Amino acid sequence: MFVFGLQGTRAVVSRSFADFTSQATFDIKKCDVHRLEEGPPLKAELTREQGLRYYRIMQTVRRMELKADQLYKQKIIRGFCHLYDGQEACAVGIEAAINPSDHLITAYRAHGYTYTRGIAVKEILAELTGRRGGVAKGKGGSMHMYAPHFYGGNGIVGAQGQLFESFNMAALWKLPCIFTCENNQYGMGTSVERASASTDYYKRGDFIPGIRVDGMDVLCVREAFKFAAEHCRSGKGPIVMELKTYRYHGHSMSDPGVSYRTREEIQEVRSKSDPITMLKERMLSNNMASVEEFKEIDIAIRKEVEEAAQYATSDPEPPLEELCNHIFSNDSPLEVRGTNPWARLKSVS
């Protein structure tokens, strides 16, 4: 909807859906491949509905993470907190390519995946603030969020899978498993070039096929993961994916992120490769949406995130009597010999 001022009066001109292009085809960057005769397609189709949905999800994750940054600096969120802004195209592109019933496992930096797997913003922020309404009832925090068919995050580096052993077993048994490395260019404060003799992470599976993808382009990620999912579902076994992406924040909130890289480097990525801006400009240049429409979406997202933040700061903390609840799935935990000095040995003979 456009609103024009006209000599003290106001004329309102609305645009119907028929005024917009309903579908367009875009060129996407060619992926590097390992042990594959061909890779994902070089073109991607996008409908107007898909584009607006991807934009809304990525922008929601971005605003949510910026709000988490603010709450952390106000000391309302405490402890470890790993933010995902900059990498939104990875989570959104993957979710667009797989099924809700597919299983997803990740480590920390899991807020974006928690949202794309169906958890509301207010439950994510409430978990970060340690409140009863959080996705893990306020007892997990940044690194322990879960959703249906989502088993992340994990606070221990590498604990979501012994990688090379998993590669071997998956290849032996031809398991339908997509191993994904979100290469955001830095391991904590060390650049990949300083840490790895070979930065071709998509080749790390050796005998397993691999693909290196532009992880800043949601369409490129989507098409690559459609390709990977079809590879796995057709019985060809596992595949390794490397998504080249970038995090705008430091490794965690305790890392300012500018001692090992320059502010100019971060700004250059923002100006040239931002995943949200890239999608927005594609849609605008192909008449798939209007500037005003994006503004309306942004306003609605800001409102949603602000309301979620209010909930996350006003919801009560879990009471002390709930501290040890939900540790075991059964009513009485399995008795393990020798776990406490007061346990008496029992004869089963």
Side-chain angles (χ1 to χ4, degrees), residues 193-215:
E193 291 80 12
R194 292 181 59 210
S196 299
S198 171
T199 57
D200 293 333
Y201 297 111
Y202 69 109
K203 297 180 180 179
R204 289 290 181 95
D206 187 14
F207 41 81
I208 298 176
I211 304 176
R212 180 158 57 194
V213 184
D214 179 4

Side-chain angles (χ1 to χ4, degrees), residues 159-199:
Q160 71 271 29
Q162 296 297 320
L163 190 60
F164 290 101
E165 293 90 336
S166 299
F167 281 170
N168 185 56
M169 294 174 71
L172 282 172
W173 297 341
K174 290 192 176 298
L175 300 180
C177 185
I178 303 174
F179 294 97
T180 305
C181 166
E182 285 190 52
N183 178 8
N184 61 21
Q185 316 301 316
Y186 293 92
M188 298 186 74
T190 305
S191 67
V192 292
E193 291 80 12
R194 292 181 59 210
S196 299
S198 171
T199 57

Side-chain angles (χ1 to χ4, degrees), residues 2-13:
F2 296 115
V3 180
F4 299 99
L6 186 63
Q7 294 183 349
T9 63
R10 193 171 66 168
V12 179
V13 181

Side-chain angles (χ1 to χ4, degrees), residues 227-294:
F227 179 94
E230 175 58 30
H231 173 95
C232 291
R233 297 189 206 280
S234 64
K236 296 178 182 177
I239 193 167
V240 176
M241 308 292 284
E242 177 188 348
L243 305 183
K244 292 204 71 173
T245 184
Y246 198 85
R247 56 169 164 80
Y248 294 155
H249 269 85
H251 169 71
S252 69
M253 284 301 298
S254 61
D255 168 22
V258 290
S259 59
Y260 48 86
R261 58 182 183 175
T262 63
R263 296 183 188 277
E264 289 74 22
E265 176 186 308
I266 302 169
Q267 186 55 43
E268 183 178 10
V269 176
R270 282 184 180 274
S271 62
K272 294 182 179 179
S273 305
D274 184 79
I276 299 174
T277 303
M278 185 187 305
L279 177 62
K280 180 179 178 180
E281 289 180 349
R282 273 176 169 159
M283 294 187 70
L284 289 174
S285 62
N286 284 270
N287 192 38
M288 299 181 77
S290 66
V291 173
E292 288 72 20
E293 196 168 12
F294 284 119

